[in-house]
Amino acid sequence: MKFSLALVATLFTSAVAVDSLSQVKADSKFGMDLLSKARRAEGNNGDDSVDTTWISGYALKFQGCHHISQWNSEVDDENDVRIESKRLARFRLCPVDSCTNSNSAGCSNKYGDYIVDMDTYLASYVANKQEMCETAEENCSCDYYDDASSCIATCLEDAGYSQCIEVDDSTINPEDYTECTAYAGSNERRLEGNGDDGNGYYVGPYCSDNGGRIVLGYFTDDTCTEFADDYGGRNAFKSTYGTSLPYSTTSIVDTDCYSCAGDTEENQYGYSTTSTKESCGELYETAGKCESKLSNEIGEDYINESACTYMEGIKITRRNGIIMSGLATKNKVASAFIGMFSVSFVLLGSYVYYLKTKLDRGSVNLSD
């Protein structure tokens, strides 16, 4: 009997311990530590260099965003926010030839998942999109048209680059607010009660409630943590400036595939080589990595899986409504232990029932 109880306790403890490793919360101290250690992949020569040449054959695909609360280490005034919001963006590198705009996942194999600070992702996203749009616009022969703007818009639309068409109906350029930035506003107007420095209100990106969009908000602090109202600052912004806050309901980033291929050059032997865009390379180097699906592409010895556990704890709702939680892989070891525990529990229950029945019969015999 003692052996059975000891076995059950051991199996239960092992199952919980093994399973907990795959369920680390993204905002836990352990989770943040995992992410910090996943910043760079160590090369075989022992240095911190990262090979990014292979990325030229891949495309960036936005997967969602996430935010956590952490202590503000730059507090220097009693009015400063003590607990600030740390925002992270998740993206995927898909092979260019299999990455699709219509599929929220982008691709189903040969990909890597990554997570990085939202400000870093937005800066890279904007740079990558600008470069792509400039290249597409250069291919439009509109120099001799009277209405060059209309010509370019039509050309981009026909070429499948409608996201590159500029609509100048906003006082805010999202490229200027990829991070929390003081907002001067039209005619230097301010909400009542702001600071003496004239920069009491800020515009910056934040993650939507479902984690599927990055939108702009209006804040009262320089960490973009405290909204100016209960609606992401939208109402306060409109009542002050008489216009809606751009990108406050629609996402700054889209879910299209953006190629990381740079310039193509021919070497002295006649072979063409394609470089990796600087924005993609820098983004890759700083990101936490989960490259389990890339082992056959870049080699088992070069993949980095340090951030897989961290990303497992993040739940994001994609544009198509599908809830994504990490790789959603089952822990076979934990499942085996849980199965053994269940069987042992049933056997233990049967044994207890047998003893109880035997004792009850003994009591009846004694009474006779």
Side-chain angles (χ1 to χ4, degrees):
M1 182 68 177
K2 292 181 178 179
F3 175 75
S4 299
L5 290 174
L7 176 63
V8 172
T10 301
L11 291 173
F12 177 75
T13 303
S14 301
V16 172
V18 174
D19 188 56
S20 64
L21 290 177
S22 65
Q23 301 297 328
V24 176
K25 292 184 177 180
D27 56 355
S28 67
K29 184 179 184 298
F30 181 48
M32 289 301 293
D33 185 56
L34 284 173
L35 180 60
S36 66
K37 291 179 180 177
R39 293 300 183 185
R40 285 184 176 269
E42 186 175 298
N44 289 339
N45 57 359
D47 60 21
D48 287 337
S49 61
V50 179
D51 177 26
T52 60
T53 55
W54 61 273
I55 301 177
S56 62
Y58 283 73
L60 286 174
K61 178 79 171 180
F62 176 67
Q63 296 291 287
C65 53
H66 174 70
H67 75 271
I68 59 176
S69 297
Q70 66 178 29
W71 177 257
N72 182 6
S73 60
E74 298 181 359
V75 172
D76 57 7
D77 186 86
E78 62 179 12
N79 294 323
D80 287 344
V81 173
R82 264 49 180 178
I83 305 298
E84 65 176 339
S85 293
K86 180 70 173 179
R87 299 180 173 94
L88 305 171
R90 182 169 174 173
F91 66 95
R92 177 169 290 182
L93 284 177
C94 290
V96 172
D97 56 358
S98 63
C99 191
T100 56
N101 294 337
S102 58
N103 183 355
S104 294
C107 53
S108 58
N109 53 58
K110 300 180 181 180
Y111 63 82
D113 282 324
Y114 306 88
I115 191 165
V116 72
D117 179 87
M118 184 186 291
D119 295 350
T120 303
Y121 178 80
L122 282 177
S124 177
Y125 170 84
V126 169
N128 199 334
K129 185 175 180 179
Q130 277 184 329
E131 187 174 349
M132 182 197 73
C133 291
E134 288 173 1
T135 301
E137 189 171 325
E138 288 173 358
N139 293 330
C140 295
S141 302
C142 297
D143 294 340
Y144 302 102
Y145 281 77
D146 294 334
D147 191 352
S149 298
S150 298
C151 172
I152 292 175
T154 302
C155 173
L156 293 175
E157 181 76 32
D158 293 341
Y161 293 100
S162 57
Q163 70 270 35
C164 296
I165 301 175
E166 296 183 359
V167 181
D168 190 16
D169 60 353
S170 171
T171 58
I172 287 184
N173 186 346
E175 297 170 5
D176 298 330
Y177 295 92
T178 57
E179 59 183 3
C180 191
T181 305
Y183 183 68
S186 58
N187 300 323
E188 301 296 324
R189 287 184 292 174
R190 301 283 191 277
L191 286 175
E192 295 181 2
N194 64 337
D196 295 334
D197 59 358
N199 291 321
Y201 288 86
Y202 299 79
V203 171
Y206 72 97
C207 191
S208 62
D209 291 338
N210 64 4
R213 297 176 295 124
I214 298 178
V215 294
L216 287 181
Y218 192 49
F219 303 87
T220 60
D221 65 288
D222 59 2
T223 67
C224 286
T225 296
E226 300 291 339
F227 291 107
D229 59 34
D230 295 331
Y231 305 97
R234 295 190 299 271
N235 292 353
F237 186 92
K238 187 169 185 177
S239 64
T240 304
Y241 302 110
T243 183
S244 298
L245 176 63
Y247 296 98
S248 59
T249 56
T250 58
S251 183
I252 301 173
V253 303
D254 53 48
T255 55
D256 289 348
C257 299
Y258 290 91
S259 173
C260 285
D263 298 328
T264 300
E265 298 180 354
E266 188 175 293
N267 60 26
Q268 57 181 337
Y269 302 105
Y271 293 101
S272 297
T273 58
T274 302
S275 63
T276 297
K277 288 181 180 178
E278 184 177 355
S279 58
C280 289
E282 293 178 350
L283 185 64
Y284 175 81
E285 289 185 13
T286 58
K289 304 170 180 63
C290 183
E291 299 176 330
S292 305
K293 300 288 186 179
L294 284 175
S295 59
N296 294 330
E297 310 308 311
I298 62 178
E300 189 73 34
D301 295 335
Y302 297 96
I303 63 172
N304 188 323
E305 299 175 301
S306 300
C308 292
T309 305
Y310 182 90
M311 284 189 275
E312 189 74 30
I314 299 175
K315 295 184 184 295
I316 294 171
T317 304
R318 288 197 178 119
R319 183 179 60 182
N320 59 3
I322 296 177
I323 297 177
M324 174 183 64
S325 177
L327 299 177
T329 56
K330 295 182 179 179
N331 190 309
K332 295 180 180 179
V333 177
S335 299
F337 274 113
I338 292 173
M340 293 172 63
F341 169 73
S342 300
V343 173
S344 301
F345 184 81
V346 172
L347 292 175
L348 177 61
S350 300
Y351 183 64
V352 171
Y353 178 77
Y354 167 75
L355 290 177
K356 182 179 182 301
T357 303
K358 190 173 182 179
L359 290 173
D360 289 343
R361 288 177 179 174
S363 299
V364 171
N365 292 333
L366 289 175
S367 62
D368 291 340

